[in-house]
């Protein structure tokens, strides 16, 4: 048995692709912090209820298409992404929500379980500054039933992201 298989067998909560990414990033200790819930944590509301944290402490990993090129936006659970701000930030002509097959193809994960890093392909990453309001945020760990905690600065650094303001303003 390989080391990877042994580690994954010891932590059945870890999605294999995400577990591999954590080890490659030197973050194997995060595997011990992944929490699995019997009920789905596909939405930010479900995840916040399961974890017992504020909705804004959930870090959503959302894939958009900027001029048909996938881009990852990390956003607090209580907020929505302003596509016009993303478009301006990227200098794109058009930004739309990526289709389900594009999300799976780009990240290797299904919607509702996309982690902030450890994706199949490298994409540009924008992280909304509102995540910095918390010492710890919770993000998907590769499945719709798993999440993990991490400081937002660390999470965005591992994702290779840039902090920007792309949150829809409350109206």
């Amino acid at each position: 048995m390989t080391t990877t298989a042994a580690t994954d067998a010891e932590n059945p909560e870890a999605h294999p692709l995400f577990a591999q990414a954590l080890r490659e990033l030197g973050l194997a200790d995060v595997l011990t912090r992944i929490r699995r819930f019997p009920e789905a944590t596909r939405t930010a509301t479900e995840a916040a209820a399961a974890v017992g944290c504020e909705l804004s402490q959930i870090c959503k990993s959302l894939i958009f298409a900027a001029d048909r090129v996938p881009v990852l936006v990390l956003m607090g659970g209580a907020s929505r992404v302003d596509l016009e701000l993303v478009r301006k930030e990227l200098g794109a002509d058009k930004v739309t929500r990526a289709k389900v097959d594009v999300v799976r193809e780009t990240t290797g994960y299904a919607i509702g379980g996309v982690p902030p890093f450890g994706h199949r392909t490298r994409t540009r990453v924008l992280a909304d500054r509102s995540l910095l309001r918390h010492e710890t945020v919770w993000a998907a760990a590769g499945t719709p039933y798993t999440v993990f905690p991490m400081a937002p600065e660390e999470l965005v650094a591992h994702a290779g992201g840039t902090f920007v303001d792309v949150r829809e303003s409350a109206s």
Side-chain angles (χ1 to χ4, degrees):
M1 181 170 2
T2 67
T3 306
T4 300
T7 303
D8 292 346
E10 292 165 14
N11 186 348
E13 286 81 17
H15 184 286
L17 182 60
F18 189 60
Q20 177 184 346
L22 289 172
R23 286 190 295 275
E24 288 173 1
L25 290 167
L27 299 172
D29 65 304
V30 172
L31 289 167
T32 64
R33 292 184 268 153
I34 293 174
R35 292 181 56 193
R36 180 177 180 78
F37 296 96
E39 302 299 320
T41 56
R42 280 184 182 90
T43 68
T45 301
E46 291 170 346
V51 170
C53 69
E54 293 178 32
L55 185 56
S56 61
Q57 286 181 272
I58 299 300
C59 177
K60 300 184 288 191
S61 298
L62 306 168
I63 300 291
F64 293 90
D67 295 337
R68 301 167 81 174
V69 176
V71 61
L72 173 65
V73 177
L74 303 176
M75 177 64 67
S79 301
R80 294 176 53 97
V81 175
D82 184 319
L83 296 182
E84 181 60 17
L85 292 176
V86 172
R87 187 192 70 71
K88 287 178 182 174
E89 188 66 43
L90 297 173
D93 289 326
K94 184 177 181 183
V95 175
T96 59
R97 218 177 236 293
K99 294 184 178 178
V100 173
D101 58 327
V102 172
V103 172
R104 171 79 78 170
E105 182 182 306
T106 301
T107 67
Y109 306 95
I111 291 174
V114 177
F117 51 84
H119 298 177
R120 180 178 290 152
T121 60
R122 187 87 175 121
T123 59
R124 178 123 181 234
V125 181
L126 302 178
D128 191 73
R129 261 187 245 305
S130 63
L131 293 169
L132 293 169
R133 294 181 185 156
H134 302 285
E135 286 184 30
T136 301
V137 293
W138 292 81
T143 77
Y145 297 91
T146 56
V147 295
F148 71 99
M150 187 172 278
E153 299 89 347
E154 183 182 2
L155 184 142
V156 173
H158 290 301
T162 303
F163 280 107
V164 294
D165 294 307
V166 292
R167 183 169 51 117
E168 198 174 82
S169 63
S171 35

